[in-house]
Amino acid sequence: MKRIAVLASGTGTNLEAILEAQHRGEISGRVALVLSDQAEAKALGRARRRGVEALYMNPKEYGGREGYDRALVEHLKAAGIDLVVLAGFMRLISPYFVNAYPLQIMNIHPSLLPAFPGLEGVEQALHYGVKVSGCTVHFVDEGLDTGPIILQEAVPVIQEDTVDTLHQRIHAVEYRLYPTAIDLFCRDKLKVEGRRCFIID
Ligand code: GRF
């Protein structure tokens, strides 16, 4: 059974969806640890309420990005983590971290990558005027939202949309897509060749 760590900075509704999917037996792995860089992150409470170990690590205590990531990786390795899931984790991951978990770190982004990477993907898409946006689950490499795409699903933009309404509909898709991608990983069903990620039968 693969051991999963979820890293989250904020509300953690994706974390909740992942924990619910696990509870329903839809993920053949176990969330063993939740880590946050924000003391007040609601994600920490969500984890604790479900009996999952939750840890706040203050970035100011570790001297810079790489120092922080070294400490993170130390915790993850000590906990025997096989898969790192970023769920609204608002920090850039250092090359050190990526190399410690090659093709074992996933992220979810609220746009159809490679369109609108970085911060505020929903806002960027809405202001650009696209008629279709969506969300993307991808492996994390050293770039910003550039790693191999695992799953992607479109969400139509409607005329009346605000950032909030569009983000709500994207969130609803994320709650289904992220657990699916995690389960595929846990069942060793993902194979990456170059930029392409294949689902093995
Ligand atoms: C999600 O929209 C995700 O795509 C982005 O950050 C948001 C996290 O939301 N990476 P939540 O904390 O899971 O509610």
Side-chain angles (χ1 to χ4, degrees):
M1 187 82 117
K2 294 245 193 323
R3 290 170 67 79
I4 303 160
V6 179
L7 274 52
S9 302
T11 325
T13 60
N14 273 285
L15 166 69
E16 191 84 46
I18 293 162
L19 292 172
E20 271 170 23
Q22 180 190 311
H23 185 71
R24 291 195 300 267
E26 292 168 11
I27 295 180
S28 37
R30 188 165 79 83
V31 177
L33 179 63
V34 171
L35 272 161
S36 183
D37 60 335
Q38 300 293 325
E40 304 303 320
K42 284 195 181 146
L44 292 171
R46 290 184 195 271
R48 289 186 186 118
R49 274 197 294 283
R50 288 179 183 260
V52 177
E53 186 187 344
L55 191 65
Y56 160 57
M57 288 178 63
N58 183 351
K60 290 190 185 126
E61 283 175 19
Y62 299 93
R65 177 144 66 109
E66 179 152 336
Y68 188 73
D69 282 5
R70 280 183 184 274
L72 264 180
V73 167
E74 207 172 297
H75 272 290
L76 297 171
K77 295 283 180 190
I81 297 302
D82 305 294
L83 172 67
V84 180
V85 170
L86 308 182
F89 190 59
M90 300 306 284
R91 291 176 64 84
L92 281 177
I93 298 295
S94 65
Y96 173 82
F97 193 169
V98 175
N99 290 326
Y101 279 97
L103 296 178
Q104 290 167 280
I105 309 173
M106 278 183 193
N107 183 40
I108 190 156
H109 184 78
S111 77
L112 292 177
L113 291 171
F116 314 118
L119 287 176
E120 285 154 5
V122 179
E123 203 163 344
Q124 289 184 57
L126 191 69
H127 290 162
Y128 192 93
V130 294
K131 305 297 184 199
V132 177
S133 193
C135 58
T136 306
V137 181
H138 64 93
F139 282 117
V140 173
D141 64 8
E142 293 185 14
L144 178 63
D145 299 327
T146 51
I149 291 170
I150 302 166
L151 294 175
Q152 201 163 38
E153 194 169 311
V155 173
V157 179
I158 57 171
Q159 301 222 89
E160 294 71 23
D161 263 334
T162 61
V163 174
D164 278 354
T165 59
L166 179 55
H167 204 168
Q168 261 174 37
R169 293 205 310 290
I170 291 175
H171 255 138
V173 176
E174 290 183 340
Y175 301 155
R176 182 164 40 75
L177 217 59
Y178 219 179
T180 306
I182 292 167
D183 183 55
L184 287 168
F185 179 94
C186 289
R187 291 190 291 119
D188 292 319
K189 296 286 185 194
L190 300 176
K191 189 172 109 197
V192 177
E193 283 173 17
R195 281 207 50 81
R196 296 185 69 192
C197 180
F198 297 91
I199 297 171
I200 308 161
D201 259 349

